[in-house]
Amino acid sequence: MDLNLLSAEEAAKLLELINSSEHIVITGHSRPDGDALGACLAWAEYLRVHFSKEPTVIVPNGFPDFLQWLPLSERIVRYDKHPKEVEQAFDRANLVFCIDYNGLNRVEAMEGVLTDCKAPRVMFDHHLDPTIPAEIAVSHPEMSSSSEVIFRIVWQLGGFEDLTKKFAVPIYCGMMTDTGGFTFNSTRPEIYFIICQLLTKHIDKDKIYRNVFNNYSQWAIRLRGYLMSQKLNVFDDLHASYFTLTRQNIRDFHYVRGDGEGLVNEPLRIKGMKVSISLREDDRIDNKIWVSLRSVDDFSVEEMAKKFFNGGGHFNASGGQLDCSMEEAEQITREAIKYYAPQLKG
């Protein structure tokens, strides 16, 4: 099975960049998820084992508690907590990897520091329309995840055999989280070949699943029940739904980062449902609504996210944001669903 992603020229150039760089920085996007963290940590492990490098993994801000068990995640440096340390790391960097994001704006507050860094960049990603200036840009939207991209590159370079669970666990976690436990965007045979190879490193895939998906507080479970019973708006004739999560809900249910992970998928369990939209009010920034969109089969929430929610992403999984009140966000959401009524009805 051919897993290669790099041309011979790209592979040679990548190896040259790594070998000639003493200070390497690996970056993920803002509010990193399982794929961003998994891909970054796995790539860092590969550089440690095969090149004796000690890369610095940097993310703009916090990540959920249910990902803090990942191997060596304690070494990750957060820009919002340690801005001076991050600035120094970029100042001395000889090489910067941009992993799991397609535009410099995806690192939000860290964008200026990253943009000003003079070191060459390499991008590994699976989102559409990449805009990051890079010496090497490996972008494959058809891939399940950036973790899959990382695995394929390491495999192509002959690096997998000598790696251990410290590489395999974050790769599996990233692929699993970005496919909802392999329930979407995961029908290609290459994905399951990769899983077979990861299992040779003696990972416990069931434990990884539990660590991510069965690791909520009682308040997070109560919140899910409340939102589905009291806040879910269903348009039966259009096979669409949305729900809202307000600041008051966040306070009432002691919400912490990650409590809403995967929640947008729940309404898709309704028979015939094609689209689910989550509207979450920012707990600190006024008139900021975070939007998550999911769909099944042949309906593109990526198009909907671009047209109505200042966002984008993937065909069946996208996100966006609105600068307005929750009431206005609900109105926009209803307009979006109505706009796509012909496709949704069909």
Side-chain angles (χ1 to χ4, degrees):
M1 184 172 288
D2 183 13
L3 299 181
N4 293 354
L5 296 180
L6 303 173
S7 67
E9 293 77 13
E10 287 173 327
K13 186 172 185 179
L14 177 60
L15 292 174
E16 179 186 354
L17 285 170
I18 295 171
N19 282 313
S20 63
S21 300
E22 182 179 357
H23 299 290
I24 297 176
V25 170
I26 299 173
T27 62
H29 59 71
S30 182
R31 298 181 300 281
D33 55 8
D35 186 31
L37 291 181
C40 287
L41 290 170
W43 186 246
E45 179 66 8
Y46 169 66
L47 296 181
R48 275 191 288 268
V49 171
H50 280 274
F51 301 92
S52 299
K53 305 294 182 180
E54 285 298 330
T56 302
V57 179
I58 297 174
V59 296
N61 40 39
F63 50 92
D65 290 344
F66 60 75
L67 294 173
Q68 294 183 10
W69 58 272
L70 283 167
L72 302 179
S73 62
E74 70 277 2
R75 297 188 185 182
I76 295 173
V77 183
R78 286 173 50 177
Y79 175 70
D80 62 335
K81 295 289 187 180
H82 306 283
K84 292 297 182 184
E85 184 179 343
V86 169
E87 290 167 9
Q88 291 170 1
F90 277 116
D91 284 342
R92 64 174 179 265
N94 311 120
L95 179 61
V96 175
F97 287 96
C98 302
I99 298 181
D100 197 39
Y101 60 99
N102 58 354
L104 297 178
N105 62 319
R106 290 291 310 281
V107 299
E108 295 184 1
M110 199 172 75
E111 181 178 357
V113 183
L114 177 57
T115 301
D116 291 342
C117 180
K118 305 304 181 184
R121 300 189 195 101
V122 174
M123 183 189 75
F124 300 146
D125 187 42
H126 75 129
H127 296 90
L128 291 168
D129 305 322
T131 59
I132 296 176
E135 296 292 315
I136 301 172
V138 184
S139 178
H140 287 270
E142 75 278 11
M143 298 286 123
S144 67
S145 56
S146 291
S147 293
E148 180 185 345
V149 172
I150 294 295
F151 178 93
R152 283 168 169 256
I153 292 171
V154 170
W155 181 271
Q156 180 177 351
L157 297 177
F160 180 70
E161 185 175 349
D162 296 329
L163 293 168
T164 67
K165 287 198 293 187
K166 287 183 180 178
F167 173 84
V169 166
I171 289 290
Y172 184 85
C173 179
M175 292 177 65
M176 179 191 72
T177 53
D178 242 31
T179 59
F182 303 102
T183 60
F184 57 84
N185 196 27
S186 55
T187 58
R188 291 175 296 104
E190 293 88 348
I191 292 173
Y192 298 92
F193 175 82
I194 292 171
I195 294 172
C196 287
Q197 297 306 312
L198 296 174
L199 289 170
T200 67
K201 302 299 182 180
H202 308 293
I203 67 172
D204 187 339
K205 72 175 187 62
D206 299 335
K207 185 175 182 180
I208 295 171
Y209 182 93
R210 292 196 303 272
N211 283 348
V212 173
F213 293 116
N214 296 345
N215 200 13
Y216 294 108
S217 69
Q218 64 160 304
W219 285 108
I221 298 300
R222 294 178 187 278
L223 172 64
R224 287 168 177 252
Y226 171 75
L227 293 178
M228 292 300 99
S229 66
Q230 304 297 319
K231 305 296 290 291
L232 182 64
N233 298 271
V234 178
F235 304 86
D236 286 318
D237 57 330
L238 299 179
H239 312 290
S241 67
Y242 78 86
F243 62 88
T244 64
L245 176 59
T246 66
R247 281 184 181 178
Q248 188 62 50
N249 302 148
I250 288 171
R251 287 192 292 267
D252 290 345
F253 289 89
H254 309 284
Y255 184 95
V256 297
R257 188 184 298 273
D259 279 356
E261 186 73 20
L263 185 55
V264 68
N265 296 309
E266 287 297 313
L268 293 177
R269 300 169 72 176
I270 299 172
K271 184 178 180 179
M273 191 62 57
K274 291 183 178 180
V275 174
S276 172
I277 302 172
S278 163
L279 304 173
R280 177 175 63 84
E281 190 174 19
D282 194 282
D283 61 341
R284 283 176 282 186
I285 304 174
D286 291 337
N287 292 319
K288 174 70 74 175
I289 308 295
W290 299 101
V291 186
S292 294
L293 307 96
R294 298 292 185 272
S295 66
V296 297
D297 297 332
D298 59 353
F299 184 82
S300 172
V301 285
E302 178 195 6
E303 180 183 326
M304 179 184 277
K306 287 180 177 179
K307 188 171 186 65
F308 285 93
F309 301 110
N310 307 302
H314 302 286
F315 191 90
N316 294 124
S318 291
Q321 56 183 294
L322 295 170
D323 296 315
C324 62
S325 68
M326 181 60 82
E327 291 75 16
E328 291 169 315
E330 287 194 70
Q331 182 178 349
I332 292 170
T333 301
R334 289 175 178 270
E335 290 173 359
I337 292 172
K338 183 178 179 181
Y339 180 87
Y340 288 101
Q343 290 124 287
L344 291 171
K345 284 182 178 179

